[in-house]
Amino acid sequence: MTEAAVCPVPHENRAHPLGAPAGFEEAIGNGPVKMIWPNGVEAWVISSYTGVRQVLSDQRFSATREGGPEMRTVGEPILGRPQPGNMNVLDGDEHLRLRRPLSRAFMVKKMNEMRPRIQQIVDDHLDAMERRGAPADLVPALCLPVPSLVIAELLGVSPEHQELFQSTAREMFGKNGSKEVYDAKAAELGEVLVKVAAEKKALGTTDDMIGLMVNETDFDMEEMLMLAIGLLAAGHETTSNFFGLFALTLFERPDQLEILQRDPSRADVMVEELLRYTIGRLGGAGLARKAVEDVEIDGVTIKAGEWATVTFRANLEETLCPNAGELDLERKAVSHLGFGFGPHQCLGANLARAELQILLRSLFTRFPNLRPAIPVTEMDFREDSITYGAAAIPVVW
Ligand code: HEM
């Protein structure tokens, strides 16, 4: 298809809260189409599995976000600002300079060492939930505090600032929030982090990420702060939203929940399938890149200067696995795109995996009769954030 249809990005109004935005499937059809994003910028939407991998890994695309498609309709973008230390928007060596030292801290081996501590944090929260008794809201009881405490420990920041981490993350990923409010939050958090950094510098410690950044890298203070805030925010918003979405997906599929409860030792593979399916089913256009040269993808030429966005719906493509549109927790793990692909592939994937595996196994083993207190379709979802998730998950057991 060479002629591109222009259509709006229908990122809200999902017919089902766990399904694609209304009209999205029809709009993208079988091939690349152009869509106008909420901020008025036009971008190609690439929906094939190979096309998505190409956009995310081809060096003819830049990760810059300046002037690009945005879910925000008001104010300047916050997440994609070209700011020292914002690795998401950098390319090539500039990107690697920031990413490489941190990737050591997120290696599988390191994350495996972290597992007993994650388990302890999860168990403490499940104990508290049991003590308080049903009903409970899974979001404040489990989904939010666990990733929040874990990322704070990994960075080496005291959990007493948890509320500040969470509110800064909300502003960073907020769809309608103002840059001024975010800047004020970031400055407040920055003050905390500067003190922490000075302590680590004096002690020469490298066993947490702030220690590693101040004592083993050439990052300046501004870069270190942005990286730390970015990690705190990413660590909060993504894992917590996705764990909630996994729980809701399983509530709607008791047959799949039974597979998990029959063999929770396979939670590692099941997390991959849940992420593949959940993010694929949500669809919608995400992750933007700018072509710096003409690039041919799926029969269209994306011209230098044009924007390309990818949709995770590609995770449901039959070339990836048979019956890809179905959730199947007995499936072997496949190379899904849930953590992205290419040079910007999720830096925290090993951490997110460890957290999600432990959360999934522990919650449904401890509460075998856990069920939603109201139908999933009647729950409140977060329309205010560029990362989608449930605002509250009322449960009983
Ligand atoms: C279920 C949980 C998560 C999902 C689905 C997820 C997904 C993603 C995706 C799709 C990207 C690629 C963005 C792009 O190509 O533009 C990404 C990048 C990133 N993620 Fe995650 N993420 C998760 C958890 C985390 C956690 C826990 C952290 C850190 C604590 C984290 C830190 C990052 C960072 C720093 C990047 C940027 C990497 C770069 O630009 O090189 N993520 N994530």
Side-chain angles (χ1 to χ4, degrees), residues 205-216:
T205 47
T206 56
D207 48 7
D208 54 51
M209 283 191 206
I210 295 188
L212 185 111
M213 285 195 271
V214 292
N215 292 315
E216 273 197 359

Side-chain angles (χ1 to χ4, degrees), residues 56 63 65 86-90 95 99 102 106 147 151 154-155 209 227 230-243 246 275 279 287-289 312 337-353 355-356:
L56 298 180
R65 304 281 198 281
N86 187 359
M87 75 163 84
N88 305 56
V89 300
L90 295 176
H95 170 243
R99 179 167 168 128
L102 289 176
F106 279 111
I151 189 67
L154 272 173
L155 276 157
M209 283 191 206
L227 285 164
L231 290 171
L232 277 169
H236 275 84
E237 284 284 305
T238 45
T239 314
S240 55
N241 278 332
F242 273 101
F243 184 65
F246 286 4
L275 184 57
I279 203 167
L287 309 184
R289 298 289 191 269
F312 289 111
L337 301 163
F339 288 114
F341 187 72
H344 289 274
Q345 187 164 35
C346 182
L347 183 66
N350 294 328
L351 171 62
R353 285 183 163 119
E355 291 177 322
L356 292 167

Side-chain angles (χ1 to χ4, degrees), residues 250 253-263 270 329:
L250 290 172
R253 291 294 303 271
D255 60 319
Q256 297 294 310
L257 182 53
E258 201 206 309
I259 295 174
L260 165 68
Q261 285 173 326
R262 226 175 27 228
D263 190 2
M270 294 180 186
L329 291 191

Side-chain angles (χ1 to χ4, degrees), residues 82 103 195 374:
S103 33
K195 280 201 198 113
I374 56 171

Side-chain angles (χ1 to χ4, degrees), residues 156-211:
V157 190
S158 160
E160 74 185 91
H161 305 293
Q162 211 181 340
E163 180 40 46
L164 180 58
F165 304 155
Q166 289 177 7
S167 55
T168 312
R170 269 197 303 273
E171 289 301 325
M172 185 181 241
F173 288 93
K175 218 154 60 185
N176 306 311
S178 89
K179 183 167 140 304
E180 287 68 33
V181 178
Y182 168 74
D183 283 345
K185 283 275 168 210
E188 198 184 329
L189 182 50
E191 267 179 43
V192 173
L193 295 174
V194 166
K195 280 201 198 113
V196 175
E199 284 162 21
K200 313 270 175 201
K201 184 90 194 161
L203 292 168
T205 47
T206 56
D207 48 7
D208 54 51
M209 283 191 206
I210 295 188

